[in-house]
Amino acid sequence: MKKISEILNSIYKIVSNRLVLIGAIVLLIFLCIRQCERANGAEADSKRQHNNYLAMQDSVRTIKKEKDHLIVEKSAMELKVSELSDEQKKLITKLGLKDNGKSTTPSVVVRTEIVYIDRFINVPTKVEKDKNGKESITFTHSPKMKGNNSLTISGKIPYTLDITKSPDKEDLVFTKLNTGDAELDIKQNIEIITGIYRDPKTKRLMTTVSTEYPGIDFKDVNSFTILDTKENRDALKAARKPYSIGVNFGMGLAANQKGIGPGIYLGIGLQYSPKFLQFGK
């Protein structure tokens, strides 16, 4: 019995030493994986910073320009709440939202500046008389446009005529046109479509703006996304999976020839971790 006990002790020591070695190897693998994750995170943040630098230098580029369809594009910035400038915070405040990364902080902000220049010719006019007998030159211009765009311009210019006879000739008269203050009514509906996408080649975030309203030019397009908003954090949490399969390593209690004592375990298994116990963003 003594020899059997000694043999078992020897086997236990060998197994224990091997488990310690395996545990050390697994720990090193874990540390390497952790280091790789940090390196990948640093690389992603570096690319983000580079994208923001290029976006600051970027200007509006015309992708398509026709008489009744204009598409422009400009780089968008990817920011954290701590990186927001005073101007960007003012934009968020103008929206009636907050810039603290909580509750009502927007995920995307787009500011578009447009210039509208147009010219209308051959607009028909007519003379109308109101109930008081006052005459005016009136006109209405409502060109047909694509999509939900529309424009209606209506105007009225009141006038009076002064007619005087010539003192020298009976059949000669002089006419003077006196115009009054013009009235102008403008009703306009401009449809602007904005989209944000990531370029598959450069991986940069781009903002595209399109309109079919004629005479419009985009002076500037400034846009940015906020990464650490409550909405984004909730989306990341929702994407987490409670079940996973992987390598398990740790210390615990195990049964051996001396009874129950501490030991090292290593294995592959199915793991369940509820979302409320998961950490990170």
Side-chain angles (χ1 to χ4, degrees), residues 248-268:
N248 298 312
F249 167 76
M251 297 288 294
L253 296 177
N256 52 51
Q257 72 274 20
K258 295 182 179 180
I260 297 178
I264 299 173
Y265 70 88
L266 174 66
I268 298 176

Side-chain angles (χ1 to χ4, degrees), residues 135-155:
E135 295 182 342
S136 300
I137 299 173
T138 64
F139 64 89
T140 299
H141 180 61
S142 185
K144 187 177 180 180
M145 296 185 178
K146 285 186 175 182
N148 295 321
N149 298 292
S150 63
L151 172 65
T152 301
I153 302 176
S154 58

Side-chain angles (χ1 to χ4, degrees), residues 101-141:
K102 302 176 182 178
S103 60
T104 61
T105 301
S107 295
V108 180
V109 177
V110 180
R111 181 185 68 182
T112 306
E113 296 179 23
I114 64 174
V115 177
Y116 174 56
I117 300 175
D118 212 337
R119 181 170 179 260
F120 305 105
I121 59 174
N122 299 325
V123 179
T125 61
K126 60 182 179 179
V127 175
E128 291 185 345
K129 186 180 293 186
D130 62 16
K131 60 182 180 180
N132 298 319
K134 294 182 178 180
E135 295 182 342
S136 300
I137 299 173
T138 64
F139 64 89
T140 299
H141 180 61

Side-chain angles (χ1 to χ4, degrees), residues 15-38:
V15 172
S16 297
N17 291 335
R18 287 184 178 179
L19 286 175
V20 171
L21 179 60
I22 293 172
I25 293 173
V26 172
L27 181 60
L28 288 174
I29 293 173
F30 174 77
L31 291 175
C32 288
I33 293 173
R34 189 68 179 272
Q35 188 63 31
C36 288
E37 289 178 350
R38 290 180 178 177

